[in-house]
Amino acid sequence: LLREGGGSGGGGRGSRRDGSVGPVSWHPLELPATYDLATEPQFFLADFDQRTAVGGGNLWVVKQAQGSRSADACVTHDAATALAYRAAPGGDRVVQKYVERPATCRGRKFDLRVYLAVRSVQPLEAFMFTGWYARTANKQYSANPRGLTDFETHFTVVCYEDDPALAESQAVASQQQLKPDLEQQGVDFAAVHT
C-alpha cells in the first residue's frame, strides 16, 4: 500500500482539485509467498510441505510471471499441478500463496484500480489519484475445492468484450459502495482510503 510520506513537494497530503495526493512512499504490508517456478521450485515445495505438516491452508495460484488478465492462471491445492505449469507454453510462471479469506465486496473478490504517477524512483516520489474504484469478480467467492476451476469466482481481471451478457455482470464498485463491506469485515477503510 502507499502511504503519505515526506520528501520534496512539501510533504503531507496535497489538496489538489484533481483528487491526487502526494508525495507518497511505499510500505509493503504482508505479501503472500511467491516463487518463480523456473528457478525456485524447491522453495515452493518446501513451503508447501511445511504448510501441509502443520495443517495450514495450502491453496496456491499459478500465473504468468509477466502479462496481465490472469491468462492461463490456475488455483490449486495440489503441488504437482502447480509444478506442471513449468512446462506450459506462454512463458515463465510464478506460484503464489492464495489468499483464502480475502476481503470481499458484496460477497465477491475484488481488486482496486488505482492510478499512480511516479515522478522519481530515487528518491521515491509518486502521486496517487484518490478516485480509485473496485472491480469485482462475476460470482460470489468460495474456497470450496470443487469450485477452484471457476475463473469467474477467483479472478477479477477478465475482459468480456465478445460477450455483452457477461460484460454486464462485470461489476464495478465505488469507494462509497465498498466502504460498508470492508468495515463490516473489520478493515480500516480510512487506512485503505489514504
Side-chain angles (χ1 to χ4, degrees), residues 90-158:
D92 292 337
R93 301 288 196 283
V94 295
V95 59
Q96 184 175 61
K97 181 66 183 85
Y98 191 72
V99 177
E100 296 179 45
R101 293 183 45 168
T104 59
C105 177
R106 297 180 288 237
R108 299 171 183 202
K109 284 186 66 175
F110 66 91
D111 65 25
L112 298 179
R113 302 322 260 164
V114 178
Y115 299 96
L116 182 72
V118 178
R119 182 172 170 174
S120 170
V121 176
Q122 189 67 330
L124 179 61
E125 186 175 6
F127 299 88
M128 183 175 75
F129 180 64
T130 59
W132 55 265
Y133 62 94
R135 192 170 54 175
T136 68
N138 290 341
K139 295 182 180 177
Q140 296 285 309
Y141 175 74
S142 170
N144 183 324
R146 288 179 283 157
L148 294 181
T149 59
D150 189 351
F151 194 84
E152 292 182 79
T153 296
H154 298 282
F155 298 99
T156 61
V157 287
V158 181

Short mmCIF file of all heavy atoms in Angstrom, two decimals, residues 90-158:
data_model
loop_
_atom_site.label_atom_id
_atom_site.label_comp_id
_atom_site.label_asym_id
_atom_site.label_seq_id
_atom_site.Cartn_x
_atom_site.Cartn_y
_atom_site.Cartn_z
N GLY A 90 3.91 -20.26 -23.20
CA GLY A 90 3.49 -18.92 -22.85
C GLY A 90 4.39 -18.19 -21.88
O GLY A 90 4.07 -17.10 -21.44
N GLY A 91 5.51 -18.78 -21.53
CA GLY A 91 6.46 -18.07 -20.67
C GLY A 91 6.53 -18.59 -19.26
O GLY A 91 5.85 -19.54 -18.88
N ASP A 92 7.40 -17.94 -18.49
CA ASP A 92 7.64 -18.35 -17.11
C ASP A 92 6.40 -18.15 -16.25
O ASP A 92 5.58 -17.27 -16.49
CB ASP A 92 8.80 -17.54 -16.52
CG ASP A 92 10.13 -17.89 -17.16
OD1 ASP A 92 10.25 -19.00 -17.72
OD2 ASP A 92 11.04 -17.05 -17.10
N ARG A 93 6.29 -18.95 -15.21
CA ARG A 93 5.17 -18.88 -14.28
C ARG A 93 5.68 -18.66 -12.86
O ARG A 93 6.80 -19.05 -12.52
CB ARG A 93 4.37 -20.19 -14.27
CG ARG A 93 3.78 -20.61 -15.59
CD ARG A 93 2.61 -19.73 -15.97
NE ARG A 93 1.76 -20.25 -17.01
CZ ARG A 93 2.04 -20.26 -18.29
NH1 ARG A 93 3.20 -19.84 -18.70
NH2 ARG A 93 1.17 -20.70 -19.17
N VAL A 94 4.83 -18.04 -12.05
CA VAL A 94 5.08 -17.95 -10.62
C VAL A 94 3.94 -18.68 -9.93
O VAL A 94 2.84 -18.81 -10.46
CB VAL A 94 5.17 -16.49 -10.12
CG1 VAL A 94 6.36 -15.77 -10.71
CG2 VAL A 94 3.89 -15.73 -10.38
N VAL A 95 4.23 -19.15 -8.72
CA VAL A 95 3.20 -19.74 -7.89
C VAL A 95 3.16 -18.89 -6.62
O VAL A 95 4.19 -18.56 -6.05
CB VAL A 95 3.46 -21.24 -7.59
CG1 VAL A 95 4.78 -21.47 -6.88
CG2 VAL A 95 2.30 -21.85 -6.82
N GLN A 96 1.96 -18.48 -6.25
CA GLN A 96 1.80 -17.56 -5.13
C GLN A 96 0.76 -18.12 -4.16
O GLN A 96 -0.26 -18.66 -4.58
CB GLN A 96 1.35 -16.20 -5.65
CG GLN A 96 1.24 -15.13 -4.59
CD GLN A 96 0.90 -13.80 -5.23
OE1 GLN A 96 -0.14 -13.65 -5.86
NE2 GLN A 96 1.80 -12.84 -5.07
N LYS A 97 1.04 -17.99 -2.87
CA LYS A 97 0.07 -18.42 -1.87
C LYS A 97 -1.23 -17.66 -2.10
O LYS A 97 -1.25 -16.45 -2.19
CB LYS A 97 0.62 -18.15 -0.46
CG LYS A 97 -0.31 -18.58 0.65
CD LYS A 97 -0.48 -20.08 0.68
CE LYS A 97 -1.47 -20.50 1.73
NZ LYS A 97 -2.86 -20.46 1.30
N TYR A 98 -2.30 -18.40 -2.22
CA TYR A 98 -3.61 -17.82 -2.49
C TYR A 98 -4.21 -17.28 -1.20
O TYR A 98 -4.15 -17.95 -0.16
CB TYR A 98 -4.51 -18.90 -3.09
CG TYR A 98 -5.80 -18.40 -3.66
CD1 TYR A 98 -5.83 -17.68 -4.84
CD2 TYR A 98 -7.01 -18.67 -3.03
CE1 TYR A 98 -7.02 -17.24 -5.38
CE2 TYR A 98 -8.21 -18.24 -3.56
CZ TYR A 98 -8.21 -17.52 -4.74
OH TYR A 98 -9.39 -17.08 -5.27
N VAL A 99 -4.74 -16.10 -1.25
CA VAL A 99 -5.40 -15.52 -0.07
C VAL A 99 -6.76 -16.21 0.05
O VAL A 99 -7.66 -15.96 -0.75
CB VAL A 99 -5.55 -13.99 -0.20
CG1 VAL A 99 -6.29 -13.42 0.99
CG2 VAL A 99 -4.17 -13.34 -0.36
N GLU A 100 -6.87 -17.09 1.04
CA GLU A 100 -8.06 -17.93 1.15
C GLU A 100 -9.23 -17.25 1.84
O GLU A 100 -10.37 -17.69 1.70
CB GLU A 100 -7.69 -19.23 1.87
CG GLU A 100 -6.68 -20.04 1.07
CD GLU A 100 -6.26 -21.32 1.76
OE1 GLU A 100 -7.14 -22.03 2.28
OE2 GLU A 100 -5.06 -21.61 1.76
N ARG A 101 -8.96 -16.21 2.58
CA ARG A 101 -10.04 -15.46 3.25
C ARG A 101 -9.91 -14.00 2.86
O ARG A 101 -9.58 -13.15 3.70
CB ARG A 101 -9.95 -15.65 4.75
CG ARG A 101 -10.25 -17.08 5.18
CD ARG A 101 -10.23 -17.23 6.64
NE ARG A 101 -10.97 -16.10 7.25
CZ ARG A 101 -11.33 -16.03 8.50
NH1 ARG A 101 -11.04 -17.01 9.31
NH2 ARG A 101 -11.97 -15.00 8.98
N PRO A 102 -10.17 -13.66 1.61
CA PRO A 102 -10.00 -12.28 1.16
C PRO A 102 -11.14 -11.38 1.65
O PRO A 102 -12.24 -11.85 1.94
CB PRO A 102 -10.04 -12.41 -0.36
CG PRO A 102 -10.98 -13.55 -0.59
CD PRO A 102 -10.68 -14.52 0.53
N ALA A 103 -10.86 -10.11 1.71
CA ALA A 103 -11.94 -9.15 1.90
C ALA A 103 -12.80 -9.23 0.64
O ALA A 103 -12.29 -9.51 -0.46
CB ALA A 103 -11.38 -7.75 2.08
N THR A 104 -14.09 -9.03 0.78
CA THR A 104 -14.98 -9.12 -0.37
C THR A 104 -15.87 -7.88 -0.47
O THR A 104 -16.06 -7.16 0.50
CB THR A 104 -15.89 -10.37 -0.29
OG1 THR A 104 -16.65 -10.30 0.91
CG2 THR A 104 -15.07 -11.65 -0.32
N CYS A 105 -16.39 -7.67 -1.64
CA CYS A 105 -17.35 -6.61 -1.90
C CYS A 105 -18.62 -7.28 -2.40
O CYS A 105 -18.58 -7.96 -3.44
CB CYS A 105 -16.79 -5.64 -2.95
SG CYS A 105 -17.94 -4.33 -3.41
N ARG A 106 -19.68 -7.17 -1.66
CA ARG A 106 -20.95 -7.84 -1.98
C ARG A 106 -20.73 -9.35 -2.13
O ARG A 106 -21.31 -10.00 -2.99
CB ARG A 106 -21.57 -7.24 -3.24
CG ARG A 106 -21.94 -5.77 -3.06
CD ARG A 106 -22.55 -5.20 -4.29
NE ARG A 106 -21.55 -5.04 -5.33
CZ ARG A 106 -21.28 -3.89 -5.93
NH1 ARG A 106 -21.94 -2.82 -5.63
NH2 ARG A 106 -20.36 -3.83 -6.86
N GLY A 107 -19.79 -9.89 -1.33
CA GLY A 107 -19.51 -11.32 -1.34
C GLY A 107 -18.60 -11.79 -2.46
O GLY A 107 -18.37 -12.98 -2.61
N ARG A 108 -18.06 -10.85 -3.23
CA ARG A 108 -17.20 -11.20 -4.37
C ARG A 108 -15.78 -10.68 -4.15
O ARG A 108 -15.58 -9.63 -3.55
CB ARG A 108 -17.75 -10.57 -5.65
CG ARG A 108 -19.13 -11.02 -6.00
CD ARG A 108 -19.68 -10.20 -7.13
NE ARG A 108 -21.04 -10.60 -7.43
CZ ARG A 108 -21.62 -10.38 -8.60
NH1 ARG A 108 -20.97 -9.79 -9.56
NH2 ARG A 108 -22.85 -10.76 -8.80
N LYS A 109 -14.80 -11.42 -4.65
CA LYS A 109 -13.43 -10.94 -4.62
C LYS A 109 -13.36 -9.66 -5.44
O LYS A 109 -14.15 -9.45 -6.35
CB LYS A 109 -12.47 -11.97 -5.22
CG LYS A 109 -12.19 -13.12 -4.29
CD LYS A 109 -11.14 -14.03 -4.86
CE LYS A 109 -9.81 -13.32 -4.94
NZ LYS A 109 -8.72 -14.18 -5.37
N PHE A 110 -12.39 -8.82 -5.12
CA PHE A 110 -12.25 -7.58 -5.88
C PHE A 110 -10.79 -7.18 -5.97
O PHE A 110 -9.95 -7.65 -5.20
CB PHE A 110 -13.07 -6.45 -5.24
CG PHE A 110 -12.58 -6.03 -3.89
CD1 PHE A 110 -11.66 -5.00 -3.75
CD2 PHE A 110 -13.05 -6.66 -2.74
CE1 PHE A 110 -11.21 -4.61 -2.49
CE2 PHE A 110 -12.61 -6.28 -1.49
CZ PHE A 110 -11.68 -5.26 -1.36
N ASP A 111 -10.50 -6.35 -6.92
CA ASP A 111 -9.20 -5.69 -6.98
C ASP A 111 -9.45 -4.19 -6.99
O ASP A 111 -10.57 -3.75 -7.26
CB ASP A 111 -8.35 -6.15 -8.17
CG ASP A 111 -8.92 -5.78 -9.54
OD1 ASP A 111 -9.70 -4.81 -9.64
OD2 ASP A 111 -8.59 -6.45 -10.51
N LEU A 112 -8.44 -3.44 -6.64
CA LEU A 112 -8.56 -1.99 -6.64
C LEU A 112 -7.84 -1.44 -7.86
O LEU A 112 -6.70 -1.82 -8.14
CB LEU A 112 -7.94 -1.39 -5.37
CG LEU A 112 -8.58 -1.79 -4.05
CD1 LEU A 112 -7.85 -1.13 -2.89
CD2 LEU A 112 -10.06 -1.44 -4.02
N ARG A 113 -8.50 -0.58 -8.58
CA ARG A 113 -7.90 0.10 -9.72
C ARG A 113 -7.44 1.46 -9.20
O ARG A 113 -8.24 2.33 -8.89
CB ARG A 113 -8.90 0.27 -10.85
CG ARG A 113 -9.49 -1.06 -11.33
CD ARG A 113 -8.48 -2.17 -11.34
NE ARG A 113 -7.96 -2.44 -12.65
CZ ARG A 113 -6.86 -3.15 -12.84
NH1 ARG A 113 -6.19 -3.63 -11.84
NH2 ARG A 113 -6.43 -3.38 -14.04
N VAL A 114 -6.13 1.60 -9.09
CA VAL A 114 -5.53 2.80 -8.52
C VAL A 114 -4.60 3.41 -9.56
O VAL A 114 -3.83 2.70 -10.21
CB VAL A 114 -4.73 2.44 -7.24
CG1 VAL A 114 -4.06 3.67 -6.65
CG2 VAL A 114 -5.63 1.77 -6.22
N TYR A 115 -4.69 4.71 -9.71
CA TYR A 115 -3.84 5.42 -10.67
C TYR A 115 -2.73 6.12 -9.90
O TYR A 115 -2.97 6.86 -8.96
CB TYR A 115 -4.67 6.41 -11.47
CG TYR A 115 -5.74 5.72 -12.27
CD1 TYR A 115 -7.03 5.61 -11.78
CD2 TYR A 115 -5.43 5.12 -13.48
CE1 TYR A 115 -8.01 4.96 -12.50
CE2 TYR A 115 -6.40 4.45 -14.21
CZ TYR A 115 -7.68 4.38 -13.71
OH TYR A 115 -8.64 3.71 -14.43
N LEU A 116 -1.50 5.89 -10.35
CA LEU A 116 -0.32 6.39 -9.67
C LEU A 116 0.63 6.96 -10.70
O LEU A 116 0.91 6.31 -11.71
CB LEU A 116 0.35 5.24 -8.91
CG LEU A 116 1.57 5.55 -8.10
CD1 LEU A 116 1.18 6.34 -6.85
CD2 LEU A 116 2.28 4.27 -7.69
N ALA A 117 1.12 8.15 -10.45
CA ALA A 117 2.14 8.76 -11.31
C ALA A 117 3.44 8.79 -10.52
O ALA A 117 3.50 9.36 -9.43
CB ALA A 117 1.72 10.17 -11.71
N VAL A 118 4.46 8.16 -11.07
CA VAL A 118 5.76 8.12 -10.41
C VAL A 118 6.62 9.22 -11.00
O VAL A 118 6.89 9.24 -12.20
CB VAL A 118 6.45 6.74 -10.58
CG1 VAL A 118 7.82 6.75 -9.92
CG2 VAL A 118 5.57 5.65 -10.00
N ARG A 119 7.01 10.14 -10.15
CA ARG A 119 7.82 11.28 -10.58
C ARG A 119 9.30 10.98 -10.48
O ARG A 119 10.11 11.42 -11.30
CB ARG A 119 7.46 12.49 -9.74
CG ARG A 119 8.17 13.74 -10.09
CD ARG A 119 7.55 14.86 -9.31
NE ARG A 119 8.33 16.07 -9.41
CZ ARG A 119 7.93 17.21 -8.92
NH1 ARG A 119 6.78 17.29 -8.30
NH2 ARG A 119 8.68 18.26 -9.02
N SER A 120 9.66 10.20 -9.46
CA SER A 120 11.07 9.88 -9.24
C SER A 120 11.14 8.53 -8.54
O SER A 120 10.31 8.22 -7.70
CB SER A 120 11.71 10.97 -8.37
OG SER A 120 13.00 10.57 -7.95
N VAL A 121 12.15 7.74 -8.91
CA VAL A 121 12.35 6.45 -8.26
C VAL A 121 13.37 6.59 -7.13
O VAL A 121 13.23 5.97 -6.09
CB VAL A 121 12.81 5.39 -9.30
CG1 VAL A 121 13.13 4.08 -8.62
CG2 VAL A 121 11.76 5.20 -10.36
N GLN A 122 14.38 7.42 -7.32
CA GLN A 122 15.40 7.62 -6.30
C GLN A 122 15.63 9.10 -6.11
O GLN A 122 16.28 9.70 -6.95
CB GLN A 122 16.70 6.90 -6.70
CG GLN A 122 17.76 6.85 -5.65
CD GLN A 122 17.35 5.99 -4.46
OE1 GLN A 122 16.19 5.88 -4.13
NE2 GLN A 122 18.32 5.39 -3.81
N PRO A 123 15.09 9.71 -5.07
CA PRO A 123 14.21 9.13 -4.07
C PRO A 123 12.81 8.91 -4.63
O PRO A 123 12.39 9.58 -5.58
CB PRO A 123 14.18 10.19 -2.97
CG PRO A 123 14.36 11.48 -3.70
CD PRO A 123 15.31 11.16 -4.84
N LEU A 124 12.12 7.96 -4.02
CA LEU A 124 10.77 7.65 -4.48
C LEU A 124 9.85 8.84 -4.26
O LEU A 124 9.75 9.37 -3.16
CB LEU A 124 10.21 6.43 -3.75
CG LEU A 124 8.78 6.04 -4.15
CD1 LEU A 124 8.71 5.68 -5.63
CD2 LEU A 124 8.29 4.89 -3.30
N GLU A 125 9.19 9.25 -5.33
CA GLU A 125 8.18 10.30 -5.25
C GLU A 125 7.07 9.94 -6.22
O GLU A 125 7.31 9.78 -7.42
CB GLU A 125 8.77 11.66 -5.58
CG GLU A 125 7.79 12.78 -5.36
CD GLU A 125 8.40 14.16 -5.58
OE1 GLU A 125 9.56 14.25 -6.03
OE2 GLU A 125 7.70 15.14 -5.32
N ALA A 126 5.88 9.75 -5.69
CA ALA A 126 4.75 9.33 -6.50
C ALA A 126 3.51 10.08 -6.06
O ALA A 126 3.41 10.51 -4.92
CB ALA A 126 4.54 7.83 -6.38
N PHE A 127 2.57 10.19 -6.98
CA PHE A 127 1.32 10.87 -6.69
C PHE A 127 0.18 9.92 -7.02
O PHE A 127 0.14 9.34 -8.11
CB PHE A 127 1.21 12.15 -7.53
CG PHE A 127 2.31 13.12 -7.23
CD1 PHE A 127 3.52 13.06 -7.92
CD2 PHE A 127 2.16 14.06 -6.22
CE1 PHE A 127 4.54 13.93 -7.63
CE2 PHE A 127 3.18 14.94 -5.92
CZ PHE A 127 4.38 14.88 -6.62
N MET A 128 -0.71 9.75 -6.06
CA MET A 128 -1.81 8.81 -6.22
C MET A 128 -3.12 9.59 -6.40
O MET A 128 -3.44 10.47 -5.61
CB MET A 128 -1.92 7.89 -5.01
CG MET A 128 -3.01 6.84 -5.15
SD MET A 128 -3.05 5.66 -3.78
CE MET A 128 -3.78 6.66 -2.50
N PHE A 129 -3.87 9.22 -7.41
CA PHE A 129 -5.19 9.80 -7.64
C PHE A 129 -6.15 9.14 -6.66
O PHE A 129 -6.21 7.92 -6.56
CB PHE A 129 -5.62 9.55 -9.09
CG PHE A 129 -6.97 10.10 -9.42
CD1 PHE A 129 -7.20 11.47 -9.39
CD2 PHE A 129 -8.00 9.27 -9.78
CE1 PHE A 129 -8.45 11.99 -9.71
CE2 PHE A 129 -9.26 9.77 -10.10
CZ PHE A 129 -9.47 11.14 -10.05
N THR A 130 -6.90 9.95 -5.93
CA THR A 130 -7.77 9.40 -4.89
C THR A 130 -9.07 8.83 -5.44
O THR A 130 -9.85 8.26 -4.69
CB THR A 130 -8.11 10.46 -3.82
OG1 THR A 130 -8.76 11.57 -4.47
CG2 THR A 130 -6.85 10.93 -3.10
N GLY A 131 -9.29 8.92 -6.72
CA GLY A 131 -10.54 8.41 -7.32
C GLY A 131 -10.47 6.95 -7.69
O GLY A 131 -10.98 6.55 -8.74
N TRP A 132 -9.85 6.11 -6.85
CA TRP A 132 -9.77 4.68 -7.16
C TRP A 132 -11.14 4.03 -7.03
O TRP A 132 -12.05 4.58 -6.44
CB TRP A 132 -8.74 3.98 -6.26
CG TRP A 132 -8.95 4.15 -4.79
CD1 TRP A 132 -8.36 5.08 -3.98
CD2 TRP A 132 -9.80 3.37 -3.94
NE1 TRP A 132 -8.79 4.92 -2.69
CE2 TRP A 132 -9.68 3.88 -2.63
CE3 TRP A 132 -10.65 2.29 -4.16
CZ2 TRP A 132 -10.37 3.37 -1.55
CZ3 TRP A 132 -11.34 1.77 -3.08
CH2 TRP A 132 -11.20 2.30 -1.80
N TYR A 133 -11.26 2.83 -7.59
CA TYR A 133 -12.51 2.07 -7.51
C TYR A 133 -12.19 0.58 -7.45
O TYR A 133 -11.06 0.17 -7.67
CB TYR A 133 -13.44 2.38 -8.68
CG TYR A 133 -12.87 2.03 -10.03
CD1 TYR A 133 -13.15 0.80 -10.62
CD2 TYR A 133 -12.06 2.91 -10.73
CE1 TYR A 133 -12.62 0.46 -11.86
CE2 TYR A 133 -11.54 2.59 -11.97
CZ TYR A 133 -11.82 1.37 -12.52
OH TYR A 133 -11.30 1.03 -13.75
N ALA A 134 -13.19 -0.21 -7.13
CA ALA A 134 -13.01 -1.67 -7.04
C ALA A 134 -13.68 -2.33 -8.23
O ALA A 134 -14.74 -1.92 -8.68
CB ALA A 134 -13.63 -2.19 -5.74
N ARG A 135 -13.04 -3.38 -8.73
CA ARG A 135 -13.62 -4.20 -9.79
C ARG A 135 -13.80 -5.59 -9.21
O ARG A 135 -12.86 -6.18 -8.69
CB ARG A 135 -12.66 -4.22 -10.98
CG ARG A 135 -13.24 -4.79 -12.23
CD ARG A 135 -12.33 -4.56 -13.39
NE ARG A 135 -10.98 -5.08 -13.10
CZ ARG A 135 -10.01 -5.10 -13.99
NH1 ARG A 135 -10.20 -4.64 -15.19
NH2 ARG A 135 -8.84 -5.59 -13.67
N THR A 136 -15.02 -6.11 -9.28
CA THR A 136 -15.32 -7.37 -8.61
C THR A 136 -15.34 -8.55 -9.57
O THR A 136 -15.52 -8.39 -10.77
CB THR A 136 -16.69 -7.31 -7.89
OG1 THR A 136 -17.73 -7.24 -8.86
CG2 THR A 136 -16.77 -6.12 -6.95
N ALA A 137 -15.19 -9.73 -8.98
CA ALA A 137 -15.37 -10.97 -9.74
C ALA A 137 -16.85 -11.09 -10.10
O ALA A 137 -17.71 -10.45 -9.50
CB ALA A 137 -14.93 -12.17 -8.91
N ASN A 138 -17.14 -11.91 -11.07
CA ASN A 138 -18.52 -12.06 -11.53
C ASN A 138 -19.38 -12.91 -10.61
O ASN A 138 -20.60 -12.80 -10.62
CB ASN A 138 -18.55 -12.67 -12.93
CG ASN A 138 -18.02 -11.71 -13.96
OD1 ASN A 138 -17.96 -10.51 -13.74
ND2 ASN A 138 -17.64 -12.23 -15.11
N LYS A 139 -18.74 -13.78 -9.82
CA LYS A 139 -19.50 -14.70 -8.97
C LYS A 139 -19.08 -14.57 -7.52
O LYS A 139 -17.97 -14.12 -7.21
CB LYS A 139 -19.31 -16.14 -9.43
CG LYS A 139 -19.87 -16.41 -10.83
CD LYS A 139 -19.68 -17.86 -11.20
CE LYS A 139 -20.24 -18.16 -12.58
NZ LYS A 139 -19.97 -19.56 -12.96
N GLN A 140 -19.96 -15.01 -6.62
CA GLN A 140 -19.69 -15.00 -5.19
C GLN A 140 -18.44 -15.82 -4.89
O GLN A 140 -18.24 -16.89 -5.48
CB GLN A 140 -20.87 -15.59 -4.43
CG GLN A 140 -22.15 -14.78 -4.56
CD GLN A 140 -22.10 -13.51 -3.72
OE1 GLN A 140 -21.80 -13.55 -2.54
NE2 GLN A 140 -22.38 -12.37 -4.34
N TYR A 141 -17.63 -15.34 -3.94
CA TYR A 141 -16.40 -16.04 -3.58
C TYR A 141 -16.68 -17.29 -2.77
O TYR A 141 -17.51 -17.29 -1.87
CB TYR A 141 -15.46 -15.12 -2.79
CG TYR A 141 -14.25 -15.87 -2.31
CD1 TYR A 141 -13.25 -16.21 -3.21
CD2 TYR A 141 -14.12 -16.27 -1.00
CE1 TYR A 141 -12.14 -16.93 -2.79
CE2 TYR A 141 -13.02 -16.98 -0.57
CZ TYR A 141 -12.03 -17.31 -1.47
OH TYR A 141 -10.94 -18.03 -1.07
N SER A 142 -15.94 -18.34 -3.08
CA SER A 142 -15.96 -19.57 -2.30
C SER A 142 -14.61 -20.26 -2.49
O SER A 142 -14.09 -20.32 -3.61
CB SER A 142 -17.08 -20.50 -2.79
OG SER A 142 -16.94 -21.77 -2.19
N ALA A 143 -14.06 -20.79 -1.40
CA ALA A 143 -12.81 -21.55 -1.49
C ALA A 143 -13.10 -23.05 -1.55
O ALA A 143 -12.20 -23.86 -1.35
CB ALA A 143 -11.92 -21.23 -0.29
N ASN A 144 -14.32 -23.41 -1.86
CA ASN A 144 -14.69 -24.82 -1.98
C ASN A 144 -13.82 -25.48 -3.05
O ASN A 144 -13.76 -24.99 -4.19
CB ASN A 144 -16.17 -24.92 -2.37
CG ASN A 144 -16.66 -26.35 -2.44
OD1 ASN A 144 -15.94 -27.26 -2.84
ND2 ASN A 144 -17.90 -26.54 -2.04
N PRO A 145 -13.15 -26.57 -2.73
CA PRO A 145 -12.27 -27.23 -3.70
C PRO A 145 -12.95 -27.58 -5.02
O PRO A 145 -12.32 -27.59 -6.06
CB PRO A 145 -11.79 -28.48 -2.97
CG PRO A 145 -11.90 -28.14 -1.53
CD PRO A 145 -13.10 -27.23 -1.42
N ARG A 146 -14.25 -27.87 -4.98
CA ARG A 146 -14.95 -28.21 -6.23
C ARG A 146 -15.08 -27.01 -7.17
O ARG A 146 -15.32 -27.18 -8.35
CB ARG A 146 -16.32 -28.81 -5.93
CG ARG A 146 -16.20 -30.21 -5.35
CD ARG A 146 -17.54 -30.79 -5.03
NE ARG A 146 -17.99 -30.15 -3.79
CZ ARG A 146 -19.24 -30.04 -3.39
NH1 ARG A 146 -20.19 -30.52 -4.13
NH2 ARG A 146 -19.53 -29.46 -2.26
N GLY A 147 -14.93 -25.80 -6.63
CA GLY A 147 -15.09 -24.61 -7.46
C GLY A 147 -13.79 -23.91 -7.83
O GLY A 147 -13.81 -22.79 -8.33
N LEU A 148 -12.66 -24.57 -7.60
CA LEU A 148 -11.38 -23.92 -7.86
C LEU A 148 -11.14 -23.60 -9.33
O LEU A 148 -10.37 -22.72 -9.65
CB LEU A 148 -10.22 -24.78 -7.33
CG LEU A 148 -10.16 -24.94 -5.81
CD1 LEU A 148 -8.97 -25.79 -5.43
CD2 LEU A 148 -10.13 -23.60 -5.12
N THR A 149 -11.80 -24.30 -10.23
CA THR A 149 -11.60 -24.05 -11.65
C THR A 149 -12.55 -22.99 -12.19
O THR A 149 -12.50 -22.66 -13.37
CB THR A 149 -11.79 -25.35 -12.47
OG1 THR A 149 -13.11 -25.85 -12.23
CG2 THR A 149 -10.75 -26.39 -12.08
N ASP A 150 -13.40 -22.43 -11.34
CA ASP A 150 -14.35 -21.41 -11.78
C ASP A 150 -13.65 -20.06 -11.85
O ASP A 150 -13.51 -19.35 -10.86
CB ASP A 150 -15.55 -21.35 -10.85
CG ASP A 150 -16.65 -20.46 -11.39
OD1 ASP A 150 -16.42 -19.76 -12.40
OD2 ASP A 150 -17.74 -20.45 -10.80
N PHE A 151 -13.21 -19.70 -13.03
CA PHE A 151 -12.45 -18.48 -13.27
C PHE A 151 -13.20 -17.24 -12.79
O PHE A 151 -12.62 -16.32 -12.23
CB PHE A 151 -12.16 -18.38 -14.78
CG PHE A 151 -11.12 -17.38 -15.13
CD1 PHE A 151 -9.77 -17.71 -15.06
CD2 PHE A 151 -11.47 -16.10 -15.53
CE1 PHE A 151 -8.80 -16.79 -15.39
CE2 PHE A 151 -10.50 -15.18 -15.85
CZ PHE A 151 -9.16 -15.52 -15.78
N GLU A 152 -14.51 -17.21 -12.99
CA GLU A 152 -15.30 -16.02 -12.65
C GLU A 152 -15.49 -15.85 -11.14
O GLU A 152 -15.95 -14.80 -10.70
CB GLU A 152 -16.65 -16.06 -13.33
CG GLU A 152 -16.53 -15.92 -14.84
CD GLU A 152 -17.88 -15.91 -15.50
OE1 GLU A 152 -18.53 -14.85 -15.47
OE2 GLU A 152 -18.28 -16.96 -16.03
N THR A 153 -15.13 -16.83 -10.35
CA THR A 153 -15.17 -16.72 -8.89
C THR A 153 -13.86 -16.19 -8.34
O THR A 153 -13.85 -15.40 -7.42
CB THR A 153 -15.46 -18.11 -8.26
OG1 THR A 153 -16.75 -18.53 -8.68
CG2 THR A 153 -15.41 -18.06 -6.74
N HIS A 154 -12.75 -16.60 -8.94
CA HIS A 154 -11.44 -16.33 -8.37
C HIS A 154 -10.66 -15.19 -8.99
O HIS A 154 -9.66 -14.76 -8.43
CB HIS A 154 -10.60 -17.62 -8.40
CG HIS A 154 -11.21 -18.71 -7.57
ND1 HIS A 154 -11.10 -18.73 -6.20
CD2 HIS A 154 -11.98 -19.76 -7.91
CE1 HIS A 154 -11.76 -19.77 -5.73
NE2 HIS A 154 -12.30 -20.41 -6.75
N PHE A 155 -11.09 -14.70 -10.14
CA PHE A 155 -10.33 -13.65 -10.81
C PHE A 155 -11.23 -12.47 -11.18
O PHE A 155 -12.38 -12.65 -11.55
CB PHE A 155 -9.65 -14.20 -12.07
CG PHE A 155 -8.67 -15.30 -11.75
CD1 PHE A 155 -9.03 -16.63 -11.89
CD2 PHE A 155 -7.40 -14.99 -11.27
CE1 PHE A 155 -8.13 -17.64 -11.58
CE2 PHE A 155 -6.51 -16.01 -10.95
CZ PHE A 155 -6.87 -17.33 -11.11
N THR A 156 -10.67 -11.29 -11.08
CA THR A 156 -11.43 -10.08 -11.39
C THR A 156 -10.98 -9.44 -12.69
O THR A 156 -11.64 -8.56 -13.20
CB THR A 156 -11.26 -9.03 -10.27
OG1 THR A 156 -9.88 -8.69 -10.16
CG2 THR A 156 -11.77 -9.57 -8.95
N VAL A 157 -9.87 -9.86 -13.21
CA VAL A 157 -9.31 -9.24 -14.41
C VAL A 157 -9.71 -10.02 -15.65
O VAL A 157 -8.95 -10.77 -16.22
CB VAL A 157 -7.77 -9.12 -14.30
CG1 VAL A 157 -7.40 -8.03 -13.33
CG2 VAL A 157 -7.15 -10.42 -13.87
N VAL A 158 -10.95 -9.81 -16.04
CA VAL A 158 -11.50 -10.54 -17.17
C VAL A 158 -12.07 -9.54 -18.16
O VAL A 158 -12.73 -8.59 -17.77
CB VAL A 158 -12.62 -11.51 -16.71
CG1 VAL A 158 -13.17 -12.30 -17.87
CG2 VAL A 158 -12.09 -12.45 -15.64
#
